[in-house]
């Protein structure tokens, strides 16, 4: 079957096999199923629509049909899976660059996992560990109309004022991510490039970790993706990427 996403390019690591689906509850869930079946390294799962797309902390990722991207890569890294935060960074950088090249927009990153255009969310990334694998999930608002309840969201089509070529975006993203992953296997880390695109840094923020709230200035990030906040008393507190909701 010809790929509706034009996925006929070859990569070294991240999309050695491509599984396309019309509809799935979530590509992350499909990826977990494939890991249970074995031999999942290098699989890219991609769907036209998700009925139960997920974001961080069990939140919903609204995933309508109509020319958007919903995908998950499965990788069995030869680096410790404890470094999985690097995958969020590589994916965010690769996706930001792919969007800018394909749609001529300016993309910024919001800590820890969102891609933004003019303060509105255009894409989200969810990296998860499953056994010895890392699953990197990506949802991008490309061309589909967004439901009215997503007030702080934007699509690439809205931002670019024209339809955006989903195949081209996918191709650029996958090839760029593959290159970053290849560099990571040779020891490269991505926190500095990632930090340079994070508009969160330098801002006054409120971070909620469970019932606890930390108020201060978002100062730096580290290799684990944690955000370091300096409070008014001068204490530096680290906020792990997986558990914190940030407001300002
Ligand atoms: P935030 O930091 O914005 O509070 P989050 O990082 O905690 O969000 P994510 O995992 O990035 O959460 O995404 C889930 C949230 O994103 C949802 O709660 C909803 O507000 C918003 N959202 C859901 N679907 C979309 C979409 N298609 N486009 C933009 N935003 C979305």
């Amino acid at each position: 079957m010809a790929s509706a996403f034009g996925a006929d390019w070859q990569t070294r690591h991240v999309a050695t096999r491509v599984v396309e689906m019309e509809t799935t509850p979530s590509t992350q869930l499909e990826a977990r199923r494939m890991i249970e079946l074995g031999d999942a390294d290098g699989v890219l799962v991609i769907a036209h629509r998700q009925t139960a797309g997920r974001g961080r902390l069990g939140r919903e990722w609204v995933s309508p049909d109509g020319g958007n991207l919903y995908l998950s890569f499965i990788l069995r890294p030869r680096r410790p899976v404890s470094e999985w935060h690097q995958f969020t960074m590589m994916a965010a950088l690769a996706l930001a660059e792919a969007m800018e090249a394909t749609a001529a927009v300016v993309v910024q990153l919001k800590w820890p996992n969102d891609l933004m255009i003019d303060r509105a969310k255009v894409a989200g990334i969810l990296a998860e560990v499953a056994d010895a694998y890392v699953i990197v999930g990506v949802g991008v608002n490309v061309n589909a109309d967004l439901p009215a309840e997503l007030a702080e969201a934007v699509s690439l089509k809205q931002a670019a004022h024209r339809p955006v070529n989903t195949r081209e975006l996918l191709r650029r993203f996958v090839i760029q991510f593959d290159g970053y992953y290849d560099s990571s296997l040779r020891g490269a880390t991505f926190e500095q490039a990632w930090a340079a695109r994070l508009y969160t840094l330098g801002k006054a923020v409120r971070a909620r970790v469970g019932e606890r709230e930390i108020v201060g200035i978002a100062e730096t990030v580290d290799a684990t993706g944690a955000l370091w906040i300096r409070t008014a008393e001068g204490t530096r507190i680290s906020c792990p990427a997986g558990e914190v909701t940030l407001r300002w």
Side-chain angles (χ1 to χ4, degrees), residues 92-146:
L93 290 168
L95 189 56
E97 286 160 26
M99 284 179 180
E100 291 181 344
T102 312
V105 289
V106 176
V107 176
Q108 288 183 308
L109 306 181
K110 179 186 163 202
W111 185 88
N113 68 328
D114 296 332
L115 285 87
M116 318 289 285
I117 297 175
D118 289 339
R119 305 289 164 106
K121 200 187 291 194
V122 66
I125 289 167
L126 185 66
E128 296 180 301
V129 173
D131 300 329
Y133 294 90
V134 175
I135 309 173
V136 184
V138 172
V140 188
N141 301 323
V142 188
N143 291 305
D145 292 334
L146 293 164

Side-chain angles (χ1 to χ4, degrees), residues 10-19 30-45 72-79 81 87 130-136 177-178 181-182 184-185:
Q10 288 294 315
T11 53
R12 288 180 66 180
H13 308 284
V14 303
T16 48
R17 186 152 58 96
V18 180
V19 177
E30 291 297 344
R32 282 180 187 270
R33 277 198 204 135
M34 285 177 198
I35 288 169
E36 280 165 23
L37 295 173
D39 190 27
D41 187 21
V43 174
L44 164 65
V45 188
S72 298
F73 293 118
I74 306 168
L75 290 164
R76 190 181 183 126
R78 280 166 277 157
R79 296 178 66 101
V81 288
F87 288 82
D131 300 329
Y133 294 90
V134 175
I135 309 173
V136 184
F177 183 90
D178 198 71
Y181 181 59
D182 199 62
S184 81
L185 297 176

